[in-house]
Amino acid sequence: MTRLAVEGDLDHRGDPAKFKGEYAKVIAGFNQTLDAVIEPIQAASTALDELAKGNLKTYMDGDYKGQHGKIKEDMNRTIDFLKNYVDEITITLQRIGEGDLSQEIKTYYHGDFVAIKLAINGITTHLSEVMKEIDDAAGQVEAGAIQISDGG
């Protein structure tokens, strides 16, 4: 059992009924230890699997203490962090799609998300410049049409 557990196979359990006295207690204790270790691992794995499927409404559930509790807190904080970024990016892109080119992400982004923020802000800046050039050109066309009309 110890060899299997060290190799990462935490599914095997000993049968305390096959032992007598203190040995049975040791096997039962070892089984309980494995159960206590594997439950938060399975909960974290479930949450990570949901994240891999794009589900940002998932959380790691369970009442864990010590390092297992820290893993749960870190997992849920990471999910919240990702959800906040995705929500802000989604809202910003929706507003841009509706024609509001004044959108800009001002929130401080960490790590690889900085490139996404800069790209979105660059798109809105560039689109605003293009729209201004089109507006200026339309104004010139209008002025020329008025001159032609007045000359006629």
Side-chain angles (χ1 to χ4, degrees):
M1 282 177 44
T2 303
R3 183 182 49 77
L4 290 172
V6 168
E7 291 173 1
D9 183 352
L10 302 178
D11 291 331
H12 289 84
R13 301 291 183 271
D15 182 2
K18 291 184 177 180
F19 298 91
K20 300 213 184 286
E22 294 300 313
Y23 289 116
K25 289 179 184 177
V26 168
I27 297 300
F30 190 75
N31 289 342
Q32 289 172 338
T33 300
L34 285 174
D35 291 340
V37 168
I38 198 165
E39 185 181 345
I41 290 172
Q42 289 172 334
S45 179
T46 298
L48 287 169
D49 185 53
E50 287 298 311
L51 281 175
K53 294 175 185 172
N55 179 7
L56 294 176
K57 293 179 180 90
T58 190
Y59 285 99
M60 184 176 166
D61 296 321
D63 183 27
Y64 306 113
K65 307 287 187 248
Q67 292 172 328
H68 293 152
K70 173 118 173 61
I71 289 170
K72 176 187 168 185
E73 290 172 15
D74 291 346
M75 173 73 72
N76 291 339
R77 190 177 69 250
T78 299
I79 292 168
D80 284 337
F81 168 84
L82 292 171
K83 183 169 177 13
N84 289 336
Y85 277 1
V86 169
D87 286 348
E88 182 175 28
I89 290 167
T90 300
I91 289 167
T92 301
L93 291 175
Q94 285 172 338
R95 289 182 179 156
I96 291 169
E98 293 166 356
D100 182 357
L101 300 180
S102 68
Q103 294 299 304
E104 180 181 6
I105 296 175
K106 295 180 181 175
T107 305
Y108 178 78
Y109 277 25
H110 301 274
D112 294 335
F113 287 94
V114 172
I116 295 170
K117 173 187 171 178
L118 294 175
I120 290 171
N121 288 346
I123 288 168
T124 57
T125 299
H126 184 70
L127 282 174
S128 293
E129 290 169 359
V130 168
M131 293 307 289
K132 180 163 179 7
E133 289 173 9
I134 291 171
D135 189 45
D136 290 346
Q140 291 173 1
V141 169
E142 180 184 21
I146 290 172
Q147 287 177 350
I148 292 170
S149 175
D150 288 346

